[in-house]
């Protein structure tokens, strides 16, 4: 549940940054790339479902 909330909040951050950089297309691309990288590294640190079958896949 925490990862869902974090993702929804992060989507709000991305939307806000895109609105601020509305007239500068190249800056939107750079900001989105940076924010996506931060999200990818951060979302793994957010507590979530620790079920073994979810983390290891169907062969567990």
């Amino acid at each position: 549940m925490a990862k869902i909330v974090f993702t929804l909040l992060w989507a709000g951050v991305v939307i806000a940054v895109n609105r601020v950089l509305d007239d500068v297309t190249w800056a939107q691309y750079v900001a989105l790339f940076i924010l996506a990288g931060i999200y990818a590294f951060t979302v793994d640190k957010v507590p979530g479902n620790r079920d073994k079958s979810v983390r290891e896949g169907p062969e567990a």
Side-chain angles (χ1 to χ4, degrees):
M1 183 66 162
K3 287 188 180 193
I4 294 171
V5 172
F6 177 76
T7 301
L8 292 174
L9 290 173
W10 197 256
V13 169
V14 171
I15 290 169
V17 168
N18 273 335
R19 286 188 181 171
V20 168
L21 300 173
D22 192 30
D23 294 331
V24 189
T25 305
W26 67 269
Q28 282 181 321
Y29 286 117
V30 171
L32 186 59
F33 182 78
I34 292 169
L35 289 174
I38 293 170
Y39 174 81
F41 285 115
T42 307
V43 76
D44 286 336
K45 308 240 184 297
V46 174
N49 190 355
R50 299 283 184 194
D51 187 13
K52 186 176 182 180
S53 63
V54 172
R55 296 184 67 83
E56 292 183 6
E59 61 272 347

